[in-house]
Amino acid sequence: MLLRVRSAVSHLVAGLGPGPGTQPPAEPRHGGGGGSGAGGEEGSRVTAFCRPAFLQLTSEELRRADDHTGRAVQSPRDGRRRLPWSTGYAEVINAGKSQHNEDQACCEVVFVERRPSPRGHQPCRDGSGEPDRGRRGFYFHYWALFDGHAGSGAAVMASKRLHLHICEQLRDLVDILQDPSPPPICLQHNAELSQAEDSQEVPSDALPRFHLEKAVSHESLVIGAIENAFKHMDEQIEQERASQHISGGCCALAAVYLMGKFYVANAGDSRAIIIRNGEIIPMSREFTPETERQRLQFLAFLRPELLGKEFTHLEFPRRIQPKELGKKMLYRDQSMNGWAYKKIEEDDLKFPLIYGEGKKARVMATIGVTRGLGDHDLKVFSSNIHIKPFLSCFPEVHHGGPGAGGALQGCPEGTRLAAAQRQAGLW
Amino acid sequence: MLLRVRSAVSHLVAGLGPGPGTQPPAEPRHGGGGGSGAGGEEGSRVTAFCRPAFLQLTSEELRRADDHTGRAVQSPRDGRRRLPWSTGYAEVINAGKSQHNEDQACCEVVFVERRPSPRGHQPCRDGSGEPDRGRRGFYFHYWALFDGHAGSGAAVMASKRLHLHICEQLRDLVDILQDPSPPPICLQHNAELSQAEDSQEVPSDALPRFHLEKAVSHESLVIGAIENAFKHMDEQIEQERASQHISGGCCALAAVYLMGKFYVANAGDSRAIIIRNGEIIPMSREFTPETERQRLQFLAFLRPELLGKEFTHLEFPRRIQPKELGKKMLYRDQSMNGWAYKKIEEDDLKFPLIYGEGKKARVMATIGVTRGLGDHDLKVFSSNIHIKPFLSCFPEVHHGGPGAGGALQGCPEGTRLAAAQRQAGLW
């Protein structure tokens, strides 16, 4: 079935328009400001099952999209005109795994409005849904895939909120990012700000700078904003999971194009690649029980109580049988990349924290990814052992700076950014 | 002064003979077997100050080597003949830092003798100091640099013992590494072995193999052996530091050439490079407070008691002044690569776990490296806070497999391996 998505992808890529930077920003779908911010609610439950709004599916098409037999590939009906940057998208249901497609996607142009001074009272968005272009701020383009599991709730909510959390984190940085001088290390006190009518938080450490002071780039502020947005998104899911009936969890992969630079944030095992002149440039690393083995083992080594006396933090190449007690078996711990033999002790008979290989690798025999959003109620089957402490909601953010990512800067024609999970692709 | 070492290096490299593999192994300096093993003792104190034995310094030359004014560059007198593989070496004292040169080096050919069966009684080494070539085993070539600090004891002891620990770890693997079939996952019980006269530990999991079994390569066994050798070396220093008067600690960088493959193990901030046809290929990564920030912060976050109420695990771009309480300042924690602003709280006024930039970066204002051997008694100045929990004795091992390291396999003529710290170089 992956072939069917690939085929649709090839078809659409062939008909793509010019690359980024060659057309004006599309109409923004979300104003960035507002008192409600990322936590805002349109009234209805935000985690009810749906497909991405840009697919514009009729009820009949929605039924077809959920058909586990036909497995129709879904793409935006008028994708080339409707999505910014001629973004392509294709998805298909993962047959037999769940009633509905648990994955989600989002493609938006977001206006980040400079946070008004405490005494200002501007509304966050005008009636038309468009920001006032006279106000200070900037746009960012945003594309994201959410690979859901154990329910669609987390993926649906993240697809509707993550970009707003990113926007919220960027609002304090509007002036700083637009100022070519290095970001200030320290800002004025909040209370002092309310006395300055038309100024955002201002640096308190003007020249001369401190002797031992680390240089911080504008890009690293954007990365920090995206990292914290993921954290806040995860906290919101945790807080609202009961009232909003948010089920499951999701990997999240988001690409942000801001002020001429790309930032690709990945928390999970989806992939982002750049295709440039036929060359494939990876823009993300996958986070799986195998790639994150040492982080997980280190945590379990320091906090053995998280293993609930049922698991061992050591890794073995296969399950140990009770009759093998006292024999020597290969193992590795949180500090090792190689393998060595150890005499099997009683404690080693517990199930390994990390077990299996490739796509079958699991954390505590439960989950095959190690980063993402949600999963706050996920437990080891038939136990009270929580998985969440081992899952990180923090993404790794690659950005288009010097090095491999540098390919992104400027984004010449012929460059396409593609993000993929097994059942969906955005490009 | 680095220029003087460089000049000596250039001079010697110019006169180098053919590369590895083109000459028979030099005479081994150490038999690998024996009851005393890596823990053996020649009688005199092994940590008394000295220079590498291969320098063959007279007492007058030793005095010159310690002259902080003249800073003579020391090289082996007949290096090209005496050291295997025409290995070059140059060192100079780090003027004004300590009375003696705290750094050490080692260059050896080591015979790893298959561990005799429990009922065998072969001596480990014959009277001439040469292993019996009829016995089963293999040689490895070994080069290492130890960048000492706060005393020369740890570096001296590691230079005399680390290769023996590696040898000791490899002794159980002699048959396994020489057998082209995949290493066995599980070995027979030790007790059973004593009944089998001429067999080492033998696999208990002959075919058919288990369904979910991870493939383990021969190379990963060597890597595991080197990793555990570093751990045992560190434990030996810990155990004998009182009786042997072992002071200080050291970074350790070791290169092992075994069965046609190179393994470069690095615990510290020294560097190994391959020079091939003028191209420089890095063979190690440096471990500093900056490169290991997240590991250290993660440990401090999980074990805040290690910070002794004097440090915070958060990083700030500069020291915070008490008057800045309540203002917003840039920070990052164990999960972040970017920076974000946070409101300064009382707890943030503590000294940061990681502070400073580049060569001035320090862990708890004390040490500028984060991996190495020794330092078991190192504390934050005028406190009872131990640094050691944050220092890892485990090396990262690169080996000549597919990828960059692949350049090492075969080691064509013109390929040179060079290891450097600021005051010494081996090539």
Side-chain angles (χ1 to χ4, degrees):
Chain A
M1 186 49 68
L2 185 56
L3 288 176
R4 299 184 62 180
V5 175
R6 273 201 194 131
S7 162
V9 167
S10 308
H11 178 71
L12 285 166
V13 166
L16 279 173
T22 58
Q23 60 183 71
E27 291 307 306
R29 306 292 161 78
H30 289 265
S36 58
E41 189 52 65
E42 293 96 347
S44 66
R45 216 185 101 205
V46 289
T47 57
F49 177 74
C50 60
R51 299 312 311 146
F54 57 70
L55 281 176
Q56 298 180 289
L57 298 187
T58 63
S59 55
E60 168 56 20
E61 286 167 335
L62 190 59
R63 194 198 56 71
R64 280 217 311 143
D66 262 355
D67 174 9
H68 289 252
T69 314
R71 302 191 72 191
V73 174
Q74 303 296 327
S75 282
R77 271 195 283 186
D78 51 356
R80 259 185 284 169
R81 267 173 301 154
R82 186 166 173 77
L83 293 179
W85 279 19
S86 305
T87 298
Y89 176 81
E91 67 165 52
V92 70
I93 194 164
N94 199 356
K97 284 195 72 177
S98 56
Q99 186 187 350
H100 297 302
N101 188 341
E102 292 178 332
D103 307 333
Q104 289 295 330
C106 183
C107 180
E108 295 286 353
V109 181
V110 183
F111 182 72
V112 182
E113 185 190 344
R114 174 178 179 272
R115 203 180 298 283
S117 66
R119 285 160 66 185
H121 297 285
Q122 302 99 324
C124 65
R125 197 195 280 198
D126 63 21
S128 68
E130 279 193 49
D132 176 353
R133 298 205 178 231
R135 276 186 267 154
R136 288 171 74 174
F138 49 69
Y139 289 90
F140 69 84
H141 286 71
Y142 170 89
W143 303 258
L145 279 178
F146 303 91
D147 185 350
H149 54 252
S152 60
V156 170
M157 186 165 194
S159 73
K160 293 184 175 174
R161 289 284 177 267
L162 181 59
H163 54 295
L164 300 182
H165 279 288
I166 294 173
C167 175
E168 191 64 21
Q169 293 295 317
L170 290 170
R171 292 190 67 198
D172 286 328
L173 305 174
V174 167
D175 286 351
I176 294 168
L177 293 178
Q178 290 180 325
D179 182 348
S181 58
I185 301 299
C186 189
L187 302 175
Q188 284 289 15
H189 196 294
N190 272 340
E192 295 170 35
L193 281 173
S194 58
Q195 293 158 21
E197 182 62 34
D198 191 38
S199 74
Q200 239 187 339
E201 300 202 348
V202 293
S204 71
D205 57 354
L207 290 170
R209 295 226 162 205
F210 284 72
H211 173 56
L212 273 175
E213 182 178 288
K214 215 156 195 164
V216 173
S217 66
H218 288 93
E219 290 79 9
S220 67
L221 292 191
V222 177
I223 292 170
I226 294 172
E227 290 171 331
N228 276 329
F230 273 67
K231 188 175 79 168
H232 285 110
M233 183 72 248
D234 197 52
E235 287 169 354
Q236 187 183 12
I237 292 173
E238 181 176 20
Q239 287 157 13
E240 299 182 15
R241 70 190 195 278
S243 62
Q244 295 281 336
H245 310 288
I246 303 173
S247 57
C250 64
C251 295
L253 175 69
V256 171
Y257 183 74
L258 170 65
M259 295 182 170
K261 289 194 175 149
F262 249 117
Y263 300 84
V264 177
N266 185 36
D269 64 351
S270 299
R271 284 185 199 172
I273 55 168
I274 295 277
I275 305 169
R276 192 172 57 164
N277 302 327
E279 186 195 358
I280 293 171
I281 306 165
M283 284 301 292
S284 66
R285 285 193 309 154
E286 289 162 69
F287 295 102
T288 68
E290 288 185 303
T291 64
E292 293 221 274
R293 174 183 59 84
Q294 286 179 285
R295 175 178 73 79
L296 304 181
Q297 286 184 312
F298 189 40
L299 174 59
F301 172 71
L302 292 172
R303 288 265 180 90
E305 69 275 14
L306 297 177
L307 300 175
K309 295 182 182 171
E310 292 194 24
F311 295 89
T312 167
H313 77 285
L314 298 181
E315 187 189 13
F316 300 96
R318 64 162 169 79
R319 281 309 304 276
I320 304 175
Q321 298 168 295
K323 68 178 182 186
E324 293 174 316
L325 202 70
K327 292 184 179 176
K328 282 187 171 183
M329 194 167 192
L330 288 171
Y331 83 102
R332 53 182 176 175
D333 66 19
Q334 69 282 352
S335 302
M336 299 170 70
N337 267 311
W339 294 85
Y341 290 99
K342 86 181 284 290
K343 194 173 167 185
I344 300 168
E345 298 162 30
E346 194 71 35
D347 212 52
D348 302 326
L349 298 178
K350 294 175 181 173
F351 202 91
L353 169 66
I354 310 290
Y355 182 62
E357 203 167 7
K359 288 193 187 305
K360 288 179 180 164
R362 293 284 179 278
V363 180
M364 297 201 280
T366 303
I367 190 167
V369 292
T370 52
R371 300 210 187 184
L373 305 167
D375 286 321
H376 297 90
D377 296 316
L378 187 62
K379 292 178 182 178
V380 174
F381 179 70
S382 186
S383 86
N384 204 30
I385 303 170
H386 282 268
I387 304 287
K388 187 67 177 177
F390 293 96
L391 307 183
S392 169
C393 66
F394 275 86
E396 184 175 71
V397 185
H398 286 88
H399 82 289
L408 286 165
Q409 287 192 40
C411 287
E413 233 175 280
T415 297
R416 305 304 305 173
L417 176 70
Q421 57 199 50
R422 265 166 282 175
Q423 267 64 43
L426 251 169
W427 62 92
Chain B
M1 186 46 69
L2 185 56
L3 287 175
R4 298 185 63 179
V5 175
R6 274 203 195 128
S7 161
V9 166
S10 306
H11 177 73
L12 284 167
V13 165
L16 279 174
T22 59
Q23 61 183 70
E27 290 309 304
R29 307 292 160 80
H30 288 266
S36 59
E41 190 52 66
E42 293 97 347
S44 64
R45 215 184 102 203
V46 288
T47 58
F49 177 73
C50 61
R51 298 314 309 145
F54 58 71
L55 281 177
Q56 298 179 290
L57 298 186
T58 63
S59 55
E60 168 57 19
E61 286 168 333
L62 189 58
R63 195 198 55 71
R64 280 217 312 144
D66 261 355
D67 175 8
H68 289 251
T69 314
R71 301 192 72 192
V73 175
Q74 303 296 328
S75 282
R77 272 195 284 187
D78 50 356
R80 262 182 284 170
R81 269 173 299 154
R82 183 166 175 79
L83 293 180
W85 279 21
S86 305
T87 298
Y89 176 82
E91 68 165 53
V92 69
I93 194 164
N94 198 356
K97 284 195 74 177
S98 56
Q99 185 188 351
H100 297 302
N101 189 341
E102 292 178 333
D103 307 333
Q104 291 294 331
C106 183
C107 180
E108 295 286 354
V109 182
V110 183
F111 182 71
V112 182
E113 185 190 343
R114 175 177 178 272
R115 203 181 298 283
S117 66
R119 285 163 63 186
H121 297 287
Q122 301 100 326
C124 65
R125 197 196 280 198
D126 62 22
S128 67
E130 281 193 45
D132 175 353
R133 299 205 178 230
R135 275 185 266 154
R136 288 169 74 173
F138 49 70
Y139 290 89
F140 69 84
H141 286 71
Y142 170 89
W143 303 259
L145 279 178
F146 303 91
D147 185 350
H149 54 253
S152 61
V156 171
M157 186 166 195
S159 73
K160 293 186 176 173
R161 288 283 176 267
L162 181 59
H163 55 294
L164 300 182
H165 279 288
I166 293 173
C167 176
E168 190 64 22
Q169 293 295 316
L170 290 170
R171 291 189 67 197
D172 287 327
L173 305 175
V174 166
D175 287 351
I176 293 167
L177 292 179
Q178 289 181 327
D179 182 347
S181 58
I185 300 300
C186 189
L187 301 175
Q188 284 291 16
H189 197 294
N190 272 341
E192 294 170 36
L193 280 173
S194 58
Q195 293 157 22
E197 181 62 35
D198 191 38
S199 74
Q200 236 186 344
E201 300 202 348
V202 293
S204 70
D205 56 354
L207 290 172
R209 296 226 160 205
F210 284 70
H211 174 55
L212 273 175
E213 184 177 286
K214 214 156 196 165
V216 174
S217 66
H218 289 94
E219 290 78 10
S220 67
L221 292 191
V222 178
I223 292 170
I226 295 171
E227 288 171 332
N228 276 330
F230 272 67
K231 187 175 79 169
H232 286 111
M233 184 71 248
D234 197 53
E235 288 169 354
Q236 189 183 10
I237 293 173
E238 181 176 21
Q239 287 157 14
E240 299 181 15
R241 71 189 195 279
S243 62
Q244 295 280 335
H245 309 289
I246 304 173
S247 57
C250 65
C251 295
L253 175 68
V256 171
Y257 183 74
L258 171 64
M259 294 182 171
K261 289 192 175 149
F262 249 117
Y263 301 84
V264 177
N266 186 35
D269 63 353
S270 299
R271 285 185 198 173
I273 55 168
I274 295 276
I275 304 170
R276 192 172 57 163
N277 301 328
E279 185 196 0
I280 292 172
I281 306 166
M283 285 302 292
S284 65
R285 284 192 310 155
E286 289 163 69
F287 295 102
T288 69
E290 288 186 303
T291 64
E292 294 221 274
R293 173 183 59 85
Q294 286 181 285
R295 176 178 73 78
L296 304 180
Q297 287 184 312
F298 190 40
L299 174 57
F301 172 72
L302 291 173
R303 289 266 178 89
E305 69 275 14
L306 297 176
L307 299 176
K309 296 183 181 171
E310 291 195 24
F311 295 88
T312 166
H313 77 284
L314 297 182
E315 186 189 13
F316 299 96
R318 64 161 170 80
R319 281 308 305 276
I320 304 175
Q321 298 169 294
K323 67 178 180 185
E324 292 174 316
L325 201 70
K327 291 183 179 176
K328 283 189 170 180
M329 193 166 191
L330 287 172
Y331 82 103
R332 53 182 176 176
D333 66 19
Q334 69 282 353
S335 302
M336 299 169 71
N337 267 310
W339 295 85
Y341 290 98
K342 86 180 285 290
K343 193 173 166 183
I344 301 168
E345 298 162 30
E346 194 71 34
D347 212 51
D348 302 327
L349 297 180
K350 294 176 179 172
F351 202 90
L353 168 66
I354 311 290
Y355 182 61
E357 203 167 7
K359 288 193 187 303
K360 289 180 179 163
R362 292 286 180 275
V363 180
M364 298 202 280
T366 303
I367 190 166
V369 292
T370 53
R371 300 211 188 184
L373 304 167
D375 286 321
H376 297 90
D377 296 316
L378 187 62
K379 292 179 183 177
V380 174
F381 179 71
S382 184
S383 86
N384 205 30
I385 303 170
H386 281 268
I387 304 286
K388 187 69 176 175
F390 293 95
L391 306 182
S392 169
C393 66
F394 275 87
E396 184 176 71
V397 186
H398 286 89
H399 82 288
L408 286 166
Q409 288 192 39
C411 286
E413 231 174 281
T415 298
R416 305 305 305 173
L417 177 69
Q421 57 199 48
R422 265 166 283 175
Q423 266 64 44
L426 250 169
W427 63 92

